[in-house]
Amino acid sequence: DSLLRHFIEHASDSIRATLENRPPNRPLVTRLGMTIASLAVQMSWITCLSDVTENVLKPHPELGPYVLEFFRSIPEEADSDRLVLREEEDLWAYRDHLRNSAHVVLGLCEHAVRSCDVNKDVATAEAVLSCMQSWIRIVDMEPGLLERTMLLPWMFDLLVGGSTNGGFEMAVDVLVELLRTYPSDRRGNEGLVRVIIPRVMALGGGDLSPFEKAVKEEDEDGMRGYCRIFTEMGESYLSLILSHEEMNQQSLVELVLRCSAIPDKEIAGITLHFWYRFVIGLEDLEPYEYRQIRIDSFAPQLIRLLSICTHLLRYPAGVDDLSPDRIDDIEGVRFYFADTIEDCCRLLGGEIVLRNTGDQLQEECRRVTSLPQERQLSDWHGIEAFLYAIQAISMYVPSDETQMIPFVMNLIPQLPTQVPLLRATACLTVGKYAAWLGLHPESLQPLLPYLARGLSIPKCASASAVAIREVCERCQCLGDAVLQLYDGIVAAREQHRGSNSGGDEFVLDLKNELEVLEGVCKAISHKLKDDPSMSPDIISGYINRLAQPVIGGLKAMAPPENPASPKQISSEISRLTVLVQHLRLPRPSPQLAPGVLNRSDFILSLMQETWSILDAVSQKYPRDFNCAEKLCRLHKHALRECGAAHYTPMLEPLIEQIVKKFSQSFLSPYIYLSSVCICEYGRVPAHSQQMYDMVAKISSTVFYAFRGTDDFIANPDVVEEFFFMASKMVYYCPGPLIQSNLLNSMLQCAAVGMKLHHRDANRGTLNFLESLVSYGLKLRSKPSLDVVEQANREALERTIY
């Protein structure tokens, strides 16, 4: 009662303040309303609606908007996660009561609409709409109530008036919520759906409709509002659109299509989720014959959607002057429109979509060619958009396509070279159709120089590098050509490094160079695989052309007097890692010709040759995290690509390196590398003690460093990797750890580590404890244990209990 009196007092004061041109204290009234609503839910005040109506609204009818705001808060509080009732059943009972009392709220809203001119009293209109939205969204009202209420035609009258009407945006929100909450595929909604459909269609049907008026006047708020309504109706009534019964479904799809054609990409993008669901819905139709009938009936609209989306892919004028962040935003929008084009392929087929897009590309090329020479360079946006669309559908285009793809591949080298964004899209298109080019090598010859020249243009270097890698993956005839290209990259880098220009910035960005190097490795791998009779000397020549520049670069950095930076060292290690990962020589086998180098021998000899060099360069910056991470990544891939059995000669020196470098640096990548060793060698009994000794030495360093909680907090990554390593020991070779005193120390350390407020650190400690418990349960559940397992079980129980 006291809160209600305060609510009445402050609401009345707000009204007087408005009349006296004083600032009203609306936030205080809102908070009071929310407080009373929260108490009503917690105290199960089931007569709240009628009590407030009788005791507040009737004596003070001028407080109608404030009472509506209070009524809006009640379902929101009943649905809030903040409230914790002693009995959860009370909360569900209160929600049921709200559902049964919904007619009271709708009646109050109707009374508010009738009793004032809501076209002038915007506050009352918005209070009514806000209250409706809350109850529709949260309270599962009977659809019949909404079907019969006069609020529905009143709300549509607001929408017909356009965005200049007070309450238009709120009315849009309410209708969207209504459509979302009462879809056509839910039983009981049929009557409400029949009432809504003609009214919504009236908003967009005909040249004089409110939607067409908003489009002609370029009214952004109006177009956005109607677009949201039509799109939500399409999604919620999708079952009717896909129904076998003829209901002129194309008219609703047409409305959404007209929204997609709005030039404003942000507004047009609202429709994209509908098209995604529309495609999924058509794909799910059964049987196949009926599905194809429905697809054919919507095919003309899907073809128009292709043209619309391709047009919306265009970069805006002046894109070269935009900031990188703004260009990233534009690329994100383009990605979603391209996704919709790709979705169309799933229904129409890649050939139809390609033919449609390719015809428009040819027409656009003819149009641009007819322009004066000075205008052609500035009118590239259309060609770029069509190329972007064509590369987006590459996975749906068959490799034997003989009409459009040859035209595209012949067009690309003729495009203007002065437009970086156009060139970048052209390069990506080449990469996406690498499989087609692999079957048509005659089209590849003029494209490789085009890609190579793109590497020297900053805005398209990344696209060129990716395209070269993709072409090398799929085309079998590029070994020597791309190796020659990489020789040029190496030569330019060495020339730049020797020019005393700082050394940190190379001609080609490292990320792009690694893409090219990966492609070169794959191209050479294809060449060696396709020619098994190649002599060992020729094979060694190819390997040396790739490996020696990297080894030479590391050797040059190794002397103490060389001022190589951590970035330079990391770069060379990354290049070596790419060689290990992607230069796929044949696996060791009896069928391999004598004297031919296999993959394991190559990696082993490469690591042996560079071992001391890597140790020397890593000693330059022992505490540099990036250097340590790159080095450990190299060792991981070398071990796994070579194979544990063939890599065994390097295991002992590798463990020594791990233990020594971790004790010097206390960096987590070295613990991660130790976990890799455990995964590869832990199950081999001959190496289990070796793995335990490595873990014991690392643990000694960790325990010495972790003297207090602050040390744990300062090194959460070390905590995480340390306990992941311990988990690997329990999983792969538990015996030595469980039967040692080290396990008890690890458990004590885990107890401290669990107190950290750090998700990753906690993940490591919990993973270790889970592994330990799981192993103990596994031993308990086994009907019989061998001698080692029995000893492990007894040792584990002694440690835990």
Side-chain angles (χ1 to χ4, degrees), residues 538-560:
I538 296 177
I539 294 175
S540 298
Y542 282 124
I543 293 173
N544 288 335
R545 284 175 68 181
L546 288 172
Q548 285 307 314
V550 182
I551 297 173
L554 287 169
K555 280 183 178 178
M557 296 175 186

Side-chain angles (χ1 to χ4, degrees), residues 272 275-276 279 302-314 333-350 352-354 356-357 360 385-394 396 433:
L272 296 184
W275 295 116
Y276 169 73
V279 170
L302 290 169
I303 293 294
R304 285 169 54 207
L305 176 64
L306 283 175
S307 299
I308 289 169
C309 287
T310 305
H311 180 79
L312 291 169
L313 286 174
R314 297 183 182 220
V333 173
R334 278 160 48 98
F335 175 81
Y336 290 120
F337 283 113
D339 254 4
T340 302
I341 294 174
E342 188 178 335
D343 289 338
C344 291
C345 290
R346 292 157 56 181
L347 298 178
L348 301 174
I352 292 177
V353 174
L354 176 64
N356 179 273
T357 309
Q360 295 180 71
F386 288 118
L387 287 177
Y388 191 92
I390 288 171
Q391 63 94 17
I393 64 171
S394 59
Y396 295 95
Y433 286 91

Side-chain angles (χ1 to χ4, degrees), residues 515-756:
E515 293 276 9
V516 175
L517 179 56
E518 179 182 337
V520 174
C521 289
K522 290 178 177 179
I524 296 300
S525 300
H526 287 315
K527 187 175 182 65
L528 299 181
K529 180 181 177 183
D530 294 341
D531 188 3
S533 61
M534 188 178 295
S535 70
D537 290 341
I538 296 177
I539 294 175
S540 298
Y542 282 124
I543 293 173
N544 288 335
R545 284 175 68 181
L546 288 172
Q548 285 307 314
V550 182
I551 297 173
L554 287 169
K555 280 183 178 178
M557 296 175 186
E561 62 273 11
N562 188 297
S565 68
K567 182 178 178 181
Q568 288 177 294
I569 293 172
S570 298
S571 299
E572 291 295 351
I573 295 174
S574 297
R575 294 184 184 99
L576 195 61
T577 305
V578 171
L579 291 179
V580 168
Q581 278 186 277
H582 301 291
L583 187 54
R584 297 300 182 93
L585 299 178
R587 287 281 188 192
S589 69
Q591 291 77 29
L592 206 59
V596 175
L597 191 65
N598 62 55
R599 188 189 309 179
S600 297
D601 289 343
F602 159 66
I603 294 173
L604 193 61
S605 63
L606 181 66
M607 295 305 295
Q608 287 173 336
E609 182 178 356
T610 58
W611 195 268
S612 59
I613 305 171
L614 291 169
D615 184 39
V617 295
S618 63
Q619 290 291 345
K620 285 176 172 283
Y621 303 96
R623 299 185 187 279
D624 186 89
F625 187 90
N626 193 46
C627 278
E629 190 175 44
K630 299 299 182 188
L631 183 63
C632 292
R633 185 169 175 269
L634 169 63
H635 284 302
K636 176 188 73 173
H637 286 296
L639 170 55
R640 288 180 172 168
E641 290 293 334
C642 183
H646 286 85
Y647 206 72
T648 301
M650 304 302 297
L651 179 59
E652 187 62 38
L654 177 60
I655 291 174
E656 291 177 4
Q657 287 283 325
I658 292 172
V659 172
K660 181 180 77 171
K661 292 187 182 301
F662 178 67
S663 65
Q664 292 173 346
S665 65
F666 205 66
L667 294 176
S668 58
Y670 294 109
I671 308 183
Y672 170 75
L673 183 56
S674 69
S675 297
V676 173
C677 293
I678 294 169
C679 293
E680 298 297 325
Y681 291 100
R683 294 192 189 278
V684 182
H687 295 294
S688 59
Q689 187 61 40
Q690 199 175 14
M691 295 299 105
Y692 170 76
D693 293 340
M694 174 183 68
V695 170
K697 292 174 183 176
I698 291 174
S699 301
S700 176
T701 302
V702 170
F703 296 155
Y704 181 80
F706 286 168
R707 299 294 184 88
T709 308
D710 291 342
D711 298 316
F712 282 82
I713 295 172
N715 300 279
D717 58 325
V718 174
V719 175
E720 179 190 20
E721 292 298 346
F722 176 72
F723 284 108
F724 273 130
M725 177 193 67
S727 301
K728 295 290 189 295
M729 276 296 293
V730 173
Y731 186 79
Y732 287 97
C733 49
L737 175 62
I738 287 176
Q739 296 185 37
S740 71
N741 295 327
L742 178 59
L743 180 62
N744 187 51
S745 301
M746 282 185 170
L747 287 171
Q748 294 179 26
C749 188
V752 178
M754 288 173 63
K755 297 177 182 179
L756 293 184

Side-chain angles (χ1 to χ4, degrees), residues 107-181:
L108 175 61
C109 292
E110 291 174 354
H111 175 75
V113 170
R114 290 193 190 100
S115 60
C116 68
D117 184 356
V118 292
N119 292 323
K120 295 180 180 177
D121 189 354
V122 178
T124 299
E126 290 186 345
V128 169
L129 292 167
S130 179
C131 185
M132 285 179 63
Q133 183 184 15
S134 177
W135 280 74
I136 289 170
R137 179 171 58 87
I138 298 171
V139 180
D140 187 18
M141 293 189 288
E142 288 293 327
L145 286 174
L146 296 165
E147 179 186 346
R148 295 185 296 270
T149 180
M150 55 81 62
L151 295 171
L152 210 56
W154 166 75
M155 184 174 64
F156 276 100
D157 288 342
L158 285 177
L159 293 170
V160 169
S163 63
T164 55
N165 262 12
F168 174 82
E169 289 189 19
M170 283 293 302
V172 171
D173 291 340
V174 174
L175 182 53
V176 167
E177 202 65 62
L178 185 65
L179 291 165
R180 187 175 296 158
T181 306

Side-chain angles (χ1 to χ4, degrees), residues 145-247:
L145 286 174
L146 296 165
E147 179 186 346
R148 295 185 296 270
T149 180
M150 55 81 62
L151 295 171
L152 210 56
W154 166 75
M155 184 174 64
F156 276 100
D157 288 342
L158 285 177
L159 293 170
V160 169
S163 63
T164 55
N165 262 12
F168 174 82
E169 289 189 19
M170 283 293 302
V172 171
D173 291 340
V174 174
L175 182 53
V176 167
E177 202 65 62
L178 185 65
L179 291 165
R180 187 175 296 158
T181 306
Y182 297 92
S184 62
D185 58 355
R186 199 170 101 182
R187 291 187 62 183
N189 293 347
E190 297 84 359
L192 181 59
V193 170
R194 282 194 296 270
V195 170
I196 289 177
I197 287 177
R199 292 185 177 276
V200 172
M201 297 304 294
L203 295 175
D207 295 336
L208 301 178
S209 66
F211 171 62
E212 287 299 331
K213 181 183 176 184
V215 172
K216 289 175 183 176
E217 295 176 356
E218 298 184 357
D219 175 8
E220 288 190 15
D221 291 335
M223 289 190 292
R224 182 179 290 103
Y226 295 126
C227 182
R228 289 180 60 205
I229 292 170
F230 301 149
T231 303
E232 192 62 49
M233 182 162 139
E235 293 185 37
S236 296
Y237 294 175
L238 192 59
S239 62
L240 296 181
I241 293 175
L242 302 178
S243 171
H244 65 279
E245 183 181 351
E246 181 56 44
M247 293 177 285

Side-chain angles (χ1 to χ4, degrees), residues 750-766:
V752 178
M754 288 173 63
K755 297 177 182 179
L756 293 184
H757 297 292
H758 193 283
R759 185 182 63 181
D760 291 338
N762 290 334
R763 195 159 59 103
T765 53
L766 291 175

Side-chain angles (χ1 to χ4, degrees), residues 251-392:
S251 58
L252 176 54
V253 178
E254 184 68 28
L255 271 181
V256 182
L257 187 61
R258 282 155 59 193
C259 291
S260 298
I262 292 172
D264 188 313
K265 295 178 184 179
E266 180 189 352
I267 298 174
I270 295 172
T271 65
L272 296 184
H273 189 255
F274 162 77
W275 295 116
Y276 169 73
R277 290 192 56 190
F278 181 61
V279 170
I280 294 293
L282 284 170
E283 284 183 322
D284 289 343
L285 290 178
E286 295 291 346
Y288 173 80
E289 292 76 12
Y290 172 65
R291 179 196 317 163
Q292 197 56 48
I293 289 172
R294 299 309 292 166
I295 290 174
D296 291 342
S297 68
F298 290 112
Q301 290 166 314
L302 290 169
I303 293 294
R304 285 169 54 207
L305 176 64
L306 283 175
S307 299
I308 289 169
C309 287
T310 305
H311 180 79
L312 291 169
L313 286 174
R314 297 183 182 220
Y315 281 114
V319 64
D320 294 324
D321 300 326
L322 298 178
S323 67
D325 288 344
R326 178 66 184 127
I327 292 178
D328 286 344
D329 293 339
I330 292 171
E331 292 295 348
V333 173
R334 278 160 48 98
F335 175 81
Y336 290 120
F337 283 113
D339 254 4
T340 302
I341 294 174
E342 188 178 335
D343 289 338
C344 291
C345 290
R346 292 157 56 181
L347 298 178
L348 301 174
E351 290 184 85
I352 292 177
V353 174
L354 176 64
R355 186 165 61 248
N356 179 273
T357 309
D359 288 343
Q360 295 180 71
L361 172 61
Q362 290 177 329
E363 183 179 341
E364 179 69 8
C365 288
R366 287 191 291 269
R367 185 191 69 80
V368 173
T369 304
S370 66
L371 296 174
Q373 190 69 33
E374 64 273 10
R375 284 190 55 193
Q376 291 183 13
L377 280 179
S378 61
D379 203 344
W380 53 269
H381 304 75
I383 294 175
E384 190 278 336
F386 288 118
L387 287 177
Y388 191 92
I390 288 171
Q391 63 94 17

